[in-house]
Amino acid sequence: MIELENVGKSFDTEESSIEAVRDVNLKIERGEVYGIIGFSGAGKSTLVRCINLLERPTTGKVVVDGVELTGLPERELRRTRKKIGMIFQQFNLFASRTVAQNIAYPLKYSGLSRKRIADRTRELLNLVGLEDKERAYPSQLSGGQKQRVAIARALANDPGILLCDEATSSLDPQTTLSILRLLKDLNVKLGITIVVITHEMQVVKEICDRVAVMENGCIVEEGDVFSVFADPKRQITRDFIDTTSNLSKIHALIASDSPITRLRPGECIVRLKYLEKNVSEALVSTISRQFNINANIIFGDIEFLGDAPIGGLILIVSGRGEDIDGAIAWLKNKNVGVEVISDARGAA
Amino acid sequence: MQEALRKFLDYLDLLIPNVTSKWPVFFRSIEETLTMVGIAGGIAFVLGLALGVIVTVTKKGGVMERSVVYHTLDKLVNFFRSIPFIILLAGLIPLTRWIVGSAIGVRGAIVPLVFGTVPFFTRQIEAALAEVDRGVVEAAQSMGSGPLEIVFRVYLKESVGAITRGTTITAINLIGLSAMAGAVGAGGLGDFAIRYGHQRNQLDVTYVTVLTLVLIVNVIQVFGNFIAKTHSHQ
C-alpha cells in the first residue's frame, strides 16, 4: 500500500519558487491499478517521483507498505527502491547493453549466481514476450519492444509496485493498447500494484481501477474510474472526458448550422448521459411508446469502463410539448442525465 | 630483392640526404616523442578521466551534487586552459624539478605536458559524459543504484565511444604539445625538425618530420575510430 500524506514539492529557481505538487493525500491499495491523470505541467510526473523519492518531497510523508520512505537513510532507501519498479516515456534503456544485459542490470548485486541471473532474465523476457530479442541492442527495437524490455527490467527484482510515467505516451495507439494489456496482465498475474501517470483518457479507461485527476499540483477529484467519469464534478475532468467522447461535438455541429441539427418547430435536441452502471432498460423505445413522441438518434458514444457502459446519446425528439417534458422527467427519474441542448418547441 | 632495397636506399640518399645521414638521431626523436606522449598521455588519461567524472557528478543536478567541489575544479580547469603551453613549460620548471628531480629532458617535459593536457581532457570527458541521457541515469537510480555504481555502470559504460573520441582528439593534441617540449631539451620530433630543419636549413628534415607526424596522427585516429565504432549501438 502506498500512502502519501500532505506531500508537497517545490522547486527553487533564481527568482521564485515553483510549487509542482501541493498538499497531496493519496492512498493506493495493494494490487490495484491506480491512474493519475492531468494535462502537462500539472505536476503528475513530479508526484510519481515522490513515491520512490527520485524527487524528495519538500513537505509531507511517503509511506510504502508501512515503511516511511521519507525517513530512511540513503542506503536503505536504495534497497527499498529495488522493490519499486519504474518505467518511463522515453524507455531509458542502456544503449550500450543488449536486451539481456539491460534486464540483468538491476540483478548485479542481488547475490544471484551468473546462471540464476541468466535464468531470471530469460524468464522475464518470456513474461513480456520478447524471447527472441535477448541479444539485440535497444537501437534495433521498436518503441513497443523497448517498453517491454523496460518493463522486464523494472520487474527484475520482483517489485510489489510498478510506477509508469507516461509509459505509453510516445507509442502509437495500437502499441499503446498492447502495452496496456501487458500491464493489466502483470497486475492480474503477479498481483503487482501499478501506478499510471498519463494525460490520455484512454489509458485510464483501459486499465485503471481508480483514478485521481490532477491540476496545478493538486488532486482535484479522486475515486473509482466509473464514478469519476460518469459524474465529473470538475471542469478539468469534463475536459478529459471530452477528449475521447463525441458527445460534445454536437455544440460544434449546431454552431456550424449542420443540416442534421436543423430543427423543425416542436422539436428539440437532448443529450442523455448514463450516470449509473445499469442501462439495461430500453430507454428510447420506452419514451417513444409511453409518451407518444418520436426520438431520432443523431449519434451516440458509449464506451465500456470495465463492464459498465459510460457515455450517452444525442436525440432529436419531436411531439407535443408536454409529452416531451413528461419523457424528460421520466428519464431523470431513471437517473439518466438529460440536457436540452437546443429547443424549437416555442418556435411554432 | 637485396638489389632493389639497395637501389631504394640510394634513392633516399638522393631525395632526403640530411635524414639518411642521421637515421639514429631521427629514430631516437621518434622514440622520444612516443615516450613523452605515452607517459604524459597515460597519466593525463587517468587524471582527466577522474576529474571529468568528478566535475560531472558534482554539478548541479548531478548524482553527487557538491557545489564547492564543482566550482573549485571548474575554475581550476579554466585557469590552466588559459595558459599558453609555452608559458606553462617555463612557469612549471620549479614544480617539475620538485616532482621529477629535473626540469629538462624527456622527464622534465612530462609534468608540463600533463598540466597542459589534463584540463583539456577533463573537458572532453565532461562533454562525453554529458551525452549520457539524464533519463537513463534516473532509471538507474530508480533501480536502486548508488552514485558510484552509476559512475561505473552507467556514465562510463554508456560513453565508451564518446570517451574514445575525446581521447583521440587529446592524444593528437598532445603530440602537437610535445613538439614544443623541445624547448626544454626534451628532444622528440619537434626538436629534431627545429634543430636541423629550421636552424640548419635542411628542409628535407622538416618534410620527413611532418610526414612522420602525419603517419602517427593517422594511426591514432584510425585506431580511435575503430574502438568508437565497435562501441556504438546508436
Side-chain angles (χ1 to χ4, degrees):
Chain A
M1 190 165 78
I2 304 167
E3 289 162 281
L4 304 184
E5 287 173 38
N6 307 102
V7 167
K9 170 80 187 176
S10 52
F11 294 100
D12 294 323
T13 59
E14 302 271 308
E15 306 90 34
S16 61
S17 161
I18 299 158
E19 268 188 280
V21 173
R22 305 166 205 237
D23 198 32
V24 167
N25 287 285
L26 270 188
K27 251 193 191 142
I28 301 172
E29 300 294 335
R30 191 185 285 260
E32 74 177 338
V33 181
Y34 195 94
I36 298 173
I37 190 169
F39 290 111
S40 61
K44 49 198 193 312
S45 282
T46 307
L47 180 63
V48 77
R49 279 167 177 70
C50 283
I51 297 177
N52 61 2
L53 262 61
L54 280 182
E55 296 284 4
R56 199 167 267 279
T58 1
T59 58
K61 276 204 290 189
V62 177
V63 182
V64 172
D65 291 329
V67 182
E68 195 198 323
L69 300 192
T70 29
L72 288 181
E74 196 60 31
R75 219 167 224 287
E76 288 293 310
L77 176 62
R78 268 182 239 141
R79 195 168 308 150
T80 315
R81 278 200 191 127
K82 290 187 195 291
K83 293 291 176 191
I84 307 176
M86 187 167 187
I87 58 174
F88 305 84
Q89 177 172 5
Q90 296 307 328
F91 322 123
N92 294 344
L93 298 176
F94 302 116
S96 67
R97 293 171 192 265
T98 63
V99 165
Q101 288 166 340
N102 262 283
I103 297 173
Y105 176 93
L107 294 171
K108 172 125 182 182
Y109 300 110
S110 59
L112 293 181
S113 67
R114 217 175 250 260
K115 163 101 177 45
R116 294 281 299 281
I117 290 179
D119 290 346
R120 177 77 182 133
T121 305
R122 223 160 289 129
E123 198 181 305
L124 288 158
L125 278 168
N126 278 329
L127 193 64
V128 298
L130 284 178
E131 300 82 349
D132 52 334
K133 296 289 180 195
E134 207 172 339
R135 284 164 201 277
Y137 281 93
S139 58
Q140 298 163 317
L141 304 179
S142 69
Q145 290 172 328
K146 283 183 197 167
Q147 198 58 291
R148 282 169 191 269
V149 175
I151 291 171
R153 185 177 68 174
L155 294 177
N157 279 310
D158 274 319
I161 298 168
L162 180 64
L163 308 175
C164 309
D165 182 21
E166 298 275 12
T168 57
S169 299
S170 53
L171 303 174
D172 61 64
Q174 220 170 355
T175 315
T176 294
L177 212 57
S178 81
I179 293 292
L180 292 178
R181 295 227 170 95
L182 173 63
L183 290 174
K184 188 73 204 175
D185 252 23
L186 294 170
N187 167 250
V188 173
K189 236 192 271 176
L190 309 174
I192 190 170
T193 310
I194 299 184
V195 181
V196 178
I197 298 292
T198 186
H199 65 269
E200 293 170 314
M201 182 63 192
Q202 190 219 349
V203 172
V204 174
K205 278 186 182 169
E206 204 66 44
I207 61 168
C208 293
D209 303 315
R210 283 203 297 149
V211 65
V213 182
M214 219 176 161
E215 188 181 23
N216 293 328
C218 303
I219 302 252
V220 293
E221 222 171 310
E222 202 244 341
D224 76 85
V225 173
F226 186 85
S227 36
V228 169
F229 289 124
D231 187 18
K233 302 275 186 294
R234 298 295 201 112
Q235 185 54 42
I236 181 168
T237 315
R238 283 184 212 119
D239 290 346
F240 274 116
I241 296 167
D242 286 349
T243 59
T244 54
S245 160
N246 278 319
L247 291 183
S248 53
K249 272 191 198 145
I250 186 70
H251 297 292
L253 288 174
I254 292 172
S256 65
D257 195 27
S258 156
I260 62 160
T261 63
R262 264 179 229 148
L263 298 179
R264 277 176 303 225
E267 293 182 335
C268 63
I269 300 179
V270 294
R271 170 159 57 188
L272 309 187
K273 275 163 80 178
Y274 301 132
L275 302 180
E276 275 189 355
K277 296 192 179 183
N278 48 343
V279 278
S280 49
E281 225 166 323
L283 297 171
V284 178
S285 313
T286 312
I287 56 168
S288 326
R289 242 181 291 124
Q290 208 164 321
F291 296 93
N292 199 25
I293 55 177
N294 285 321
N296 172 21
I297 299 173
I298 314 181
F299 59 80
D301 185 13
I302 298 166
E303 278 191 85
F304 281 83
L305 278 181
D307 53 359
I310 188 167
L313 297 172
I314 305 276
L315 307 176
I316 292 181
V317 289
S318 53
R320 290 197 312 159
E322 57 265 40
D323 287 340
I324 294 176
D325 288 339
I328 290 173
W330 180 85
L331 285 167
K332 281 190 173 153
N333 198 33
K334 290 281 171 199
N335 228 331
V336 175
V338 185
E339 188 187 348
V340 177
I341 292 170
S342 118
D343 194 339
R345 280 178 290 173
Chain B
M1 185 65 208
Q2 275 194 334
E3 184 59 25
L5 186 65
R6 185 164 303 122
K7 263 197 180 147
F8 178 67
L9 287 177
D10 286 345
Y11 182 62
L12 281 187
D13 276 337
L14 217 67
L15 197 69
I16 45 169
N18 297 308
V19 179
T20 51
S21 65
K22 40 184 157 309
W23 282 124
V25 188
F26 176 61
F27 288 126
R28 199 175 332 113
S29 298
I30 295 179
E31 194 195 316
E32 282 161 353
T33 291
L34 293 181
T35 310
M36 281 189 284
V37 170
I39 297 178
I43 297 172
F45 180 81
V46 175
L47 290 179
L49 192 65
L51 289 174
V53 166
I54 294 173
V55 167
T56 303
V57 298
T58 55
K59 207 177 280 189
K60 193 168 162 49
V63 291
M64 286 170 88
E65 198 177 318
R66 298 279 189 286
S67 179
V68 178
V69 177
Y70 171 74
H71 285 290
T72 312
L73 279 179
D74 189 55
K75 300 291 172 307
L76 217 59
V77 165
N78 279 348
F79 175 75
F80 277 101
R81 280 199 71 189
S82 323
I83 306 176
F85 184 65
I86 198 81
I87 297 175
L88 201 61
L89 209 50
L92 284 176
I93 286 177
L95 182 72
T96 308
R97 205 170 274 147
W98 182 69
I99 295 177
V100 295
S102 160
I104 54 163
V106 171
R107 273 160 68 99
I110 301 285
V111 175
L113 281 175
V114 168
F115 270 83
T117 307
V118 166
F120 180 73
F121 189 54
T122 301
R123 290 291 183 225
Q124 294 287 334
I125 294 295
E126 195 187 345
L129 300 187
E131 281 176 34
V132 176
D133 186 37
R134 174 80 204 128
V136 175
V137 174
E138 197 181 31
Q141 284 176 315
S142 80
M143 290 185 274
S145 294
L148 222 56
E149 196 182 342
I150 289 176
V151 165
F152 286 102
R153 298 187 65 206
V154 182
Y155 272 123
L156 294 180
K157 166 94 177 134
E158 287 301 302
S159 48
V160 173
I163 289 176
T164 310
R165 282 192 296 276
T167 307
T168 309
I169 294 171
T170 310
I172 290 168
N173 210 28
L174 179 57
I175 291 174
L177 294 186
S178 79
M180 273 187 262
V184 292
L189 282 165
D191 183 46
F192 181 69
I194 295 280
R195 204 153 13 124
Y196 299 100
H198 178 65
Q199 287 165 354
R200 294 186 200 171
N201 204 23
Q202 299 172 348
L203 262 183
D204 56 331
V205 170
T206 309
Y207 294 147
V208 169
T209 307
V210 169
L211 276 177
T212 311
L213 288 171
V214 167
L215 196 73
I216 297 176
V217 165
N218 266 294
V219 168
I220 293 177
Q221 188 70 56
V222 167
F223 184 66
N225 287 352
F226 173 74
I227 306 240
K229 200 176 154 201
T230 52
H231 281 86
S232 158
H233 300 284
Q234 296 302 326

